């Protein structure tokens, strides 16, 4: 049987495509990306492999190491740290809070200070709790980065402040930071319990903190982390969710913006990336396991005229609604033989603007015997008259 190809249109949404790699930004220092966590897809990007200073975004790695310590059972949310002069010295920097010398601050409170207010002193306190010293903690940060294949990342401290004399800072790339966020959300999605808070009353400490995230609460945005230094510019990793179309699961998307020259640019670019990821892309079931196709059989070789074939698996896919998608049905060539249930007989190919992007095997729904040689001979003789 010759290969038979059918084109089945299933989605006809089209608009003028927008290039994924946008190099037309007026700020040449701006580095950005949008990322779909569910499908592990980088959607739009610019300069994602460029070395960048990451400022207080560094605190995501600090938080990860704290979560790991809690998960091991060697650190508890009710454990506390007594503030020393070393932490108080960081009060000179804008994101910190007024905590008195000798105050006992609990781990739960330090995490709020770290992830809501971006307090540098809380990063230092947590580093000492986890590793005994910041130097030992920074080694853990770099070791963890290496284990996550964040090969272009290097930490010099737990909080992201620059060394004033040399302007040395924690560095990374957006691609490396995507790996970090992916690992955190695969293993410690409860980070959102902290980053979704717009404000926190730490009554025991006599202070109230407000988030540094300028777009928290816009739509479904529930995190994640800001940063600012002269070298890093205005930075923000933001994240938001939405239900998947027809599937019982949520998408989570991220925006990464580094090197913005103003608060407005950071805010606007982050919202643009989040909105584009949610508005222009949809995650849906493209091929359902219940689809049924009829495959014609050679009447000489088989007594039945056709056989039902079905997809071997379902296919869920992230689709760009500005493009045209079609399914191409291809029947395999095969020499006539007994067909077993589950045997491959073709494939469904997903086309995006005419190019193949994925496929699923089509298999026989049931077994069917080939006619015996005498019956095939008889059918050939009958067909000749």
């Amino acid at each position: 049987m010759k290969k038979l190809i059918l084109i089945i249109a299933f989605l006809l949404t089209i608009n003028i495509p927008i290039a994924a790699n946008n190099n037309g930004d007026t700020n040449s220092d701006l580095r950005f990306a949008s990322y779909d966590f569910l499908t592990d897809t980088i959607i739009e990007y610019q300069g994602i492999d460029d070395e960048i200073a990451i400022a207080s975004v560094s605190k995501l790695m600090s938080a990860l190491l704290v979560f790991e310590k809690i998960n091991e059972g060697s650190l508890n949310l009710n454990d506390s740290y007594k503030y020393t002069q070393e932490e108080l010295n960081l009060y000179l920097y804008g994101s910190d809070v007024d905590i008195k010398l000798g105050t006992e601050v609990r781990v739960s409170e330090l995490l709020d200070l770290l992830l809501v207010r971006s307090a540098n002193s809380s990063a230092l306190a947590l580093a000492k709790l986890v590793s005994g010293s910041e130097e030992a903690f920074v080694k853990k940060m770099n070791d963890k980065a290496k284990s996550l294949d964040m090969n272009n990342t290097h930490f010099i401290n737990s909080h992201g402040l620059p060394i004033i004399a040399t302007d040395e800072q924690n560095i990374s790339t957006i691609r490396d930071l995507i790996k970090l966020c992916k690992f955190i959300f695969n293993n410690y999605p409860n980070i959102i319990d902290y980053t979704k808070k717009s404000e926190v009353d730490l009554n025991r400490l006599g202070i109230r903190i407000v988030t540094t995230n300028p777009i928290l609460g816009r739509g479904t945005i529930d995190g994640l982390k800001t940063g600012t230094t002269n070298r890093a510019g205005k930075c923000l990793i933001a994240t938001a969710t939405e239900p998947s179309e027809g599937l019982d699961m949520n998408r989570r998307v991220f925006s990464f913006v580094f090197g913005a020259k103003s608060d407005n640019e950071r805010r606007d670019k982050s919202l643009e990336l989040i909105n584009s990821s949610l508005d222009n892309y949809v995650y849906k079931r493209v091929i359902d396991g219940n689809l049924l196709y009829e495959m014609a059989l050679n009447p000489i070789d088989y007594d039945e005229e056709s056989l039902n074939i079905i997809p071997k698996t379902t296919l869920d896919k992230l689709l760009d609604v500005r493009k045209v998608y079609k399914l191409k049905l291809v029947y395999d060539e095969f020499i006539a033989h007994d067909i077993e249930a589950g045997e491959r007989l073709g494939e469904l190919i997903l086309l995006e603007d005419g190019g193949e992007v994925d496929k699923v095997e089509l298999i026989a729904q049931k077994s069917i015997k080939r006619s015996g040689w005498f019956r095939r001979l008889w059918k050939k003789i009958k067909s000749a008259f």
Side-chain angles (χ1 to χ4, degrees), residues 306-322:
S306 63
L307 174 67
N308 288 333
I309 56 177
I310 57 175
K312 186 176 181 179
T313 61
T314 59
L315 178 63
D316 303 329
K317 202 75 178 172
L318 185 68
L319 305 176
D320 184 338
V321 301
R322 299 162 296 185

Side-chain angles (χ1 to χ4, degrees), residues 21-32 45-48 50-52 174 231-233 257-262 265 269:
N21 189 358
N22 178 6
N23 291 310
D25 216 287
T26 56
N27 179 359
S28 61
D29 294 327
L30 195 65
R31 311 287 189 269
F32 61 81
Y45 61 89
Q46 177 172 285
I48 61 172
D50 293 349
E51 180 183 292
I52 50 174
I174 290 179
R231 181 175 163 191
V257 174
F258 288 79
K261 295 188 182 303
S262 67
E265 183 180 32
K269 190 62 183 181

Side-chain angles (χ1 to χ4, degrees), residues 120-154:
N120 299 307
S121 62
S122 64
L124 180 58
L126 286 165
K128 291 179 180 178
L129 266 177
V130 168
S131 300
S133 70
E134 187 177 34
E135 182 181 10
F137 187 79
V138 169
K139 183 179 185 307
K140 285 182 181 291
M141 294 174 77
N142 286 312
D143 288 345
K144 190 66 181 181
K146 185 176 181 180
S147 74
L148 297 178
D149 293 325
M150 296 171 62
N151 298 318
N152 297 296
T153 298
H154 181 68

Side-chain angles (χ1 to χ4, degrees), residues 8 151 176 209 228 236 257 286-287 354 361 385:
I8 308 161
N151 298 318
D176 277 4
I209 57 175
T228 302
L236 174 61
V257 174
V286 176
I287 297 176
E361 288 186 2
F385 294 95

Side-chain angles (χ1 to χ4, degrees), residues 2-10 287 291-296 307-311 326-332 344-351 358-363:
K2 296 290 185 183
K3 278 193 178 181
L4 177 62
I5 300 175
L6 299 177
I7 301 294
I8 308 161
F10 82 98
I287 297 176
L291 289 175
L292 191 69
Y293 298 96
E294 189 175 55
M295 181 178 184
L307 174 67
N308 288 333
I309 56 177
I310 57 175
K326 295 180 180 180
L327 290 176
K328 180 168 73 173
L329 173 59
V330 180
Y331 295 114
D332 288 348
R344 177 198 159 105
L345 293 175
E347 59 187 11
L348 273 176
I349 301 173
L350 176 64
L351 303 176
D358 217 328
K359 59 187 174 183
V360 168
E361 288 186 2
L362 290 168
I363 59 174

Side-chain angles (χ1 to χ4, degrees), residues 23 70 84 98-99 231 256 300 328 341 348-349 359 376:
N23 291 310
I70 293 171
T84 70
D98 187 13
I99 295 178
R231 181 175 163 191
F256 297 76
I300 301 295
K328 180 168 73 173
L348 273 176
I349 301 173
K359 59 187 174 183
R376 296 198 306 274

Side-chain angles (χ1 to χ4, degrees), residues 8 108 159 161 163 174 203 207 258 278 320 371 373 378:
I8 308 161
S108 59
H159 41 68
L161 287 173
I163 295 175
I174 290 179
N203 296 320
I207 58 176
F258 288 79
L278 296 177
D320 184 338
S371 302
W373 72 268
W378 173 244

